[in-house]
Amino acid sequence: MLVKVLKVVGQIILLWIIYWLGNQITLLTGIKIPGNVIGMALLFGLLFSGLIKLEYVEDGASLLLKHMLFFFVPYAVGLMNWGEVFYNYGLILALAIVLGAVIPFFVVGYVVQLIHRGDKSC
Amino acid sequence: MLVIFFTIVLTIAAYWFSRYLFLRFGSPLLNIVIISTAIVIITLVTLGIPYETYAIGGDIMTFLLGPATVALAVPLYKNRPLLKKYGLAIVVGISAGSLVSVVTAVAITMCGGLPREVIISIASKSVTIPFAVEISRIAGGNPALAAAFVVATGTFGSVLGRDLLTWLKITDPVARGLSLGTVSHGQGTAMALMEGEQQGAMAGMAMALAGVLTSAIAPFFLPLIVK
């Protein structure tokens, strides 16, 4: 049990180090890509090249991903300061959310089916 | 100090409770983020604790969000054969979807005359929170507001997405998974997983790639069009 806990903690520390490296790359190069995206690409590259084996990060990663929704809660609580905006512009915001979901739903589905069907006929 | 400790315990308790409700009843209406957030906000307002005090504990709680985002590379890596097999459809579909999603939301809110900060914050509504928070911070939006729009989009997609896709005659499992992941990120991915493994893997990949694509493009593009 203790060994398993230590293993998961160690893996999360490793993921944190990769995240930190991603942030440093963003800071040092000044590129406008979030550090977490660079970190993700970095981990993908490390896994792909075999420098990091899947077992080194898998358990820690699945724990974090399983509870990812938890991290959203503190951000969503920030809404309590934005009541006025929602009150004043509620209808437009609702429209933007609904149409901004329905239209891309259709676009992705349609485009993928079009290309995918093309694949099959070849 | 004690208040900060209390807000952290409160958030964890609210999360566990909402998660229990969701797992127990399995209804997409029992949205974990919405229920937890409502519990926390109602408690804070009742006890007269301002958001600024809550935010101190909030920073501690979201400390692991960065590593969690990096961890998204793991499912992506595991599904790399799918990535290769449907490469073109995936890249074109997700790029088109992400672009349309940003353009629709920005166009509607610009026409509606909303403040600049709000327009920039809504642009990243379809990408998962850690990306959205970073995008809005870099482009001049508000991270909390961006997160709220993400949750709203995710909730809409997870409650209505599957019926909507069926209604739009999107029947291909790859296409359905990619749509759900591109538009409604993690919450859509959870629904796609309930539909099938292939849909789930596709949605997870779409969520990650849509996040990366939007993060790479939006910070350049937004300041140019939103004055």
Side-chain angles (χ1 to χ4, degrees):
Chain A
M1 181 65 195
L2 185 67
V3 176
K4 176 124 175 70
V5 170
L6 284 178
K7 188 178 148 199
V8 170
V9 171
Q11 295 192 348
I12 292 176
I13 293 172
L14 178 60
L15 289 168
W16 187 83
I17 292 170
I18 297 170
Y19 168 65
W20 182 83
L21 281 173
N23 277 328
Q24 294 307 306
I25 292 172
T26 301
L27 274 177
L28 292 175
T29 57
I31 45 171
K32 284 188 168 181
I33 297 175
N36 51 16
V37 176
I38 308 265
M40 200 182 113
L42 204 59
L43 178 58
F44 189 85
L46 287 168
L47 286 166
F48 200 76
S49 65
L51 285 170
I52 284 188
K53 292 208 165 48
L54 197 55
E55 305 92 84
Y56 296 175
V57 288
E58 201 173 11
D59 292 343
S62 69
L63 180 78
L64 288 178
L65 292 178
K66 188 173 151 197
H67 293 293
M68 198 165 196
L69 289 178
F70 170 75
F71 304 118
F72 298 2
V73 178
Y75 285 108
V77 172
L79 273 186
M80 61 192 274
N81 277 358
W82 287 87
E84 206 181 331
V85 169
F86 284 92
Y87 185 77
N88 291 337
Y89 300 105
L91 193 66
I92 297 164
L93 290 175
L95 199 67
I97 294 290
V98 171
L99 287 181
V102 175
I103 298 172
F105 257 132
F106 179 70
V107 169
V108 179
Y110 184 77
V111 168
V112 172
Q113 282 194 352
L114 200 72
I115 298 176
H116 197 37
R117 215 171 280 148
D119 283 352
K120 275 180 197 157
S121 66
C122 291
Chain B
M1 195 57 219
L2 207 61
V3 181
I4 294 161
F5 181 71
F6 169 74
T7 57
I8 294 176
V9 173
L10 169 69
T11 311
I12 294 173
Y15 170 75
W16 275 113
F17 175 68
S18 321
R19 189 177 143 81
Y20 166 77
L21 280 184
F22 178 74
L23 294 178
R24 174 81 177 72
F25 299 103
S27 162
L29 290 171
L30 291 168
N31 187 279
I32 296 178
V33 179
I34 292 188
I35 296 179
S36 314
T37 306
I39 295 173
V40 173
I41 292 184
I42 291 168
T43 313
L44 293 180
V45 171
T46 310
L47 297 177
I49 302 171
Y51 173 70
E52 287 65 29
T53 309
Y54 178 82
I56 303 168
D59 286 343
I60 299 170
M61 285 183 274
T62 51
F63 178 74
L64 286 176
L65 185 56
T69 321
V70 171
L72 281 171
V74 171
L76 201 61
Y77 175 73
K78 281 184 176 169
N79 285 299
R80 63 196 183 287
L82 281 176
L83 193 65
K84 210 173 159 185
K85 193 172 170 197
Y86 300 111
L88 184 68
I90 290 173
V91 173
V92 177
I94 297 173
S95 310
S98 302
L99 188 69
V100 171
S101 159
V102 173
V103 170
T104 317
V106 169
I108 293 174
T109 46
M110 272 179 93
C111 294
L114 267 76
R116 186 174 185 273
E117 200 181 9
V118 179
I119 299 174
I120 290 181
S121 305
I122 207 170
S124 56
K125 67 178 182 49
S126 280
V127 304
T128 187
I129 285 192
F131 294 130
V133 165
E134 288 297 316
I135 292 170
S136 69
R137 190 157 37 218
I138 293 174
N142 179 288
L145 204 53
F149 292 135
V150 171
V151 173
T153 303
T155 307
F156 177 80
S158 64
V159 176
L160 291 174
R162 288 172 59 193
D163 290 333
L164 199 64
L165 286 171
T166 307
W167 185 67
L168 293 169
K169 300 197 169 51
I170 310 296
T171 50
D172 183 307
V174 172
R176 290 176 71 90
L178 289 174
S179 285
L180 285 165
T182 305
V183 180
S184 41
H185 51 90
Q187 288 168 277
T189 303
M191 295 316 288
L193 268 169
M194 289 171 81
E195 195 171 288
E197 200 176 284
Q198 200 180 19
Q199 286 91 323
M202 280 296 167
M205 188 179 306
M207 164 173 79
L209 288 183
V212 172
L213 282 171
T214 311
S215 307
I217 299 160
F220 292 103
F221 163 76
L222 285 175
L224 297 177
I225 52 162
V226 188
K227 296 293 176 210

